[in-house]
Amino acid sequence: MMKRLLTIAVILLFIIPLCACDVPKPVRWQGEGIKVITTIFPAYDFVRAIKGDSENLKMLIKPGSEVHSYEPTPQDIELINTCDVFIYVGGESDSWIDSILHSMNNPDMKVFKMMDYVDNLPEEHMVGMQIREGSHNEDVHDEKETHLDHEEYDEHIWTSPTNAIKIVRGIADILCEVDTDNKQIYSENSNRHIIQLNELDMEFKKIVANGRRNTFVFGDRFPLLHFAKEYGINYYAAYPGCSAESEPNAGTLAFLIEKVKDEEIPVVFHIELSNQKMVDTICEETGAKKMLFSSCHNLTAKQFEAGVTYIDMMKGNVKALEQALN
């Protein structure tokens, strides 16, 4: 984190003088419509649904890239300074944004912090979970969930469709405020999208209500805390949601293998863009089926080009969850 902040400070030394001068900026926008920048895919997709297109809509973190290690480039910072609306999550991995926003020479830019629109949950460390480097213990053995020494909130708020609805409403409101000429379009599109999100929510509720079990297992990071709490699902996982990818810990691996065997768990999940090392080992040892459960945090370049949406990815999760709970 300190390295990232130092990098940003150096970038700002060069960017701030440019912002204060009448230096022409490279043209990066098309047409005269509202210009929106998001940091990550879920927000990008929500805006795309509300606007009805992706014109003048940009996502800073490229498809297929690791979200938690992202560092802004001078071009990224310059681009943010030219937008009408900037949307970000607001958790610890976004701490670089505050210093950048204070340097902006764009008083008309509206800033939307997604975590301000939902109820936030402290990140959990469940029994058996390998905790991040720098913590006092390698893994958690207490049968109760624990929290970090300093309270840190789970950033993956969009994994709950009900949270997604709140975020969509908030984004629609700010787009209507900035671009009043298209207020009716934004309102109609957001209402249609919220209907889809409500249908998604009902599908998950039905699966959980009719499931033979109420526990799922991740041999991977667990960025689904908001999802699990929303639907009352118990979980076991290798790492917390924002943990850096690391080699599997022997104690955590043994714990998860034992849980899968003892509770006859039929599916072990991994998330998108992970190395899948631990989930492969667990499945080899237990005979469980390996499946993807998407956090929707990011997607591959191929998926992005194909126009895959948050709804598409979550519908895949509907099918996956049904197998895991039966």
Side-chain angles (χ1 to χ4, degrees):
M1 185 63 67
M2 182 59 66
K3 180 182 177 183
R4 181 185 296 182
L5 293 175
L6 289 173
T7 301
I8 293 166
V10 172
I11 291 172
L12 290 174
L13 288 175
F14 291 94
I15 294 297
I16 292 173
L18 290 176
C19 293
C21 302
D22 294 328
V23 177
K25 295 180 174 65
V27 176
R28 294 189 178 94
W29 300 102
Q30 303 294 322
E32 298 298 324
I34 185 173
K35 302 171 180 65
V36 183
I37 294 175
T38 74
T39 52
I40 62 170
F41 175 72
Y44 175 93
D45 189 61
F46 297 153
V47 176
R48 178 170 57 181
I50 296 166
K51 287 176 84 276
D53 59 46
S54 57
E55 183 178 351
N56 285 337
L57 171 61
K58 298 184 183 295
M59 183 171 73
L60 288 185
I61 298 172
K62 306 304 180 196
S65 63
E66 169 50 53
V67 173
H68 298 97
S69 60
Y70 165 77
E71 292 185 3
T73 66
Q75 292 77 21
D76 291 338
I77 296 174
E78 184 183 350
L79 188 64
I80 294 170
N81 196 49
T82 66
C83 74
D84 298 307
V85 179
F86 178 67
I87 302 173
Y88 71 113
V89 179
E92 184 173 296
S93 62
D94 276 348
S95 60
W96 59 272
I97 290 175
D98 291 335
S99 58
I100 288 176
L101 292 179
H102 287 136
S103 75
M104 293 290 101
N105 185 31
N106 184 356
D108 295 326
M109 179 177 65
K110 299 292 184 182
V111 177
F112 184 95
K113 182 178 176 181
M114 294 164 64
M115 289 182 75
D116 286 346
Y117 288 77
V118 303
D119 294 328
N120 292 293
L121 299 174
E123 191 173 81
E124 291 181 349
H125 288 86
M126 300 300 289
V127 56
M129 184 180 283
Q130 185 171 326
I131 62 179
R132 67 181 59 181
E133 293 180 7
S135 298
H136 296 302
N137 301 300
E138 275 195 357
D139 45 44
V140 178
H141 297 288
D142 196 325
E143 285 297 324
K144 297 180 180 179
E145 63 199 48
T146 60
H147 303 283
L148 292 172
D149 294 337
H150 65 286
E151 193 156 62
E152 182 177 322
Y153 292 97
D154 188 279
E155 302 175 13
H156 310 88
I157 53 178
W158 59 85
T159 59
S160 158
T162 56
N163 279 352
I165 289 170
K166 295 174 184 177
I167 294 165
V168 166
R169 284 181 176 143
I171 292 174
D173 286 345
I174 201 168
L175 294 187
C176 289
E177 178 186 345
V178 174
D179 186 15
T180 55
D181 290 344
N182 290 301
K183 183 176 180 179
Q184 184 173 349
I185 293 172
Y186 301 148
S187 180
E188 291 174 354
N189 287 344
S190 63
N191 286 337
R192 277 194 293 268
H193 200 54
I194 287 169
I195 289 172
Q196 291 181 293
L197 292 169
N198 273 318
E199 290 172 350
L200 192 64
D201 175 51
M202 293 304 297
E203 288 186 76
F204 283 124
K205 286 178 178 175
K206 182 178 178 180
I207 288 168
V208 173
N210 296 328
R212 292 178 54 243
R213 56 178 54 81
N214 194 42
T215 299
F216 60 178
V217 174
F218 282 69
D220 209 329
R221 297 172 183 167
F222 188 74
L224 281 303
L225 181 61
H226 281 269
F227 178 88
K229 295 297 184 183
E230 181 66 41
Y231 299 110
I233 305 172
N234 301 317
Y235 70 91
Y236 296 105
Y239 317 103
C242 286
S243 176
E245 192 82 18
S246 61
E247 289 300 314
N249 174 283
T252 297
L253 182 59
F255 174 85
L256 292 176
I257 288 172
E258 182 180 2
K259 281 294 179 184
V260 172
K261 288 180 176 178
D262 289 349
E263 299 189 22
E264 298 181 345
I265 302 293
V267 172
V268 179
F269 289 118
H270 65 91
I271 60 171
E272 65 273 32
L273 307 176
S274 75
N275 65 30
Q276 302 178 36
K277 288 182 180 179
M278 182 174 279
V279 70
D280 283 339
T281 302
I282 295 170
C283 289
E284 287 170 6
E285 292 293 324
T286 63
K289 182 178 181 180
K290 179 176 80 170
M291 292 188 72
L292 167 69
F293 199 99
S294 179
S295 73
C296 307
H297 209 159
N298 205 349
L299 72 179
T300 66
K302 185 176 180 180
Q303 287 175 313
F304 187 77
E305 290 299 322
V308 170
T309 68
Y310 169 91
I311 294 288
D312 294 332
M313 297 169 83
M314 291 297 277
K315 282 188 175 294
N317 287 345
V318 167
K319 296 177 181 178
L321 185 66
E322 188 168 24
Q323 289 194 46
L325 298 188
N326 288 289

